[in-house]
């Protein structure tokens, strides 16, 4: 089981003489699939993930004091690759790249995440 929070993207659109519209886009995903791990050198580990994720896109907008919100859900393939260095026998520092697709009102695009973290094994 995996959960991704791709954080929030903010932007503005110039509406000409009507002013500026502001918007926020937040994308999250929850998924499942196998995670393959293994050692490829002394103290180095690698991982690969392939699965299916439920991806949710939330969009909020504000224009001249009026607000609007919309969301869209889709089921998408997801994959990831990672590597880690074993600091101790049970502790590693890791970096991973994960990717899936997000769809919103008929438009689709890739959403990527680069993460760095610690893993404790027991």
């Amino acid at each position: 089981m995996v959960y991704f929070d791709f954080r929030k993207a903010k932007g503005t659109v110039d509406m000409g003489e009507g002013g500026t519209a502001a918007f926020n886009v937040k994308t999250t995903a929850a998924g499942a699939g196998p995670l393959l791990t293994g050692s490829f050198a002394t103290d180095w580990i690698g991982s690969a993930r392939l699965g299916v994720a439920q991806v949710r896109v939330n969009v909020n907008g504000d224009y001249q004091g009026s607000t609007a919100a919309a969301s869209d859900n889709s089921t998408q393939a997801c994959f990831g690759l990672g590597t880690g260095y074993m600091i101790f026998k049970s502790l590693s520092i890791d970096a991973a790249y994960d990717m899936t697709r997000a769809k919103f009102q008929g438009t689709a695009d890739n959403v990527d995440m680069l993460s760095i973290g610690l893993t404790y094994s027991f």
Side-chain angles (χ1 to χ4, degrees), residues 14-102:
D14 183 6
M15 304 299 282
E17 292 191 33
T20 301
F23 63 91
N24 298 312
V25 179
K26 181 168 177 54
T27 305
T28 57
L35 174 66
L36 305 173
T37 60
S39 298
F40 61 87
T42 304
D43 296 332
W44 287 93
I45 54 175
S47 63
R49 170 188 358 262
L50 180 62
V52 176
Q54 180 67 28
V55 183
R56 182 172 181 83
V57 179
N58 293 310
V59 178
N60 297 300
D62 181 18
Y63 179 61
Q64 295 181 340
S66 297
T67 60
S71 64
D72 211 343
N73 293 313
S74 62
T75 301
Q76 302 292 324
C78 63
F79 77 89
L81 295 173
T83 188
Y85 179 76
M86 300 298 295
I87 300 169
F88 302 109
K89 184 178 178 181
S90 60
L91 183 67
S92 65
I93 185 166
D94 307 303
Y97 169 78
D98 292 284
M99 198 275 309
T100 189
R101 304 261 307 155

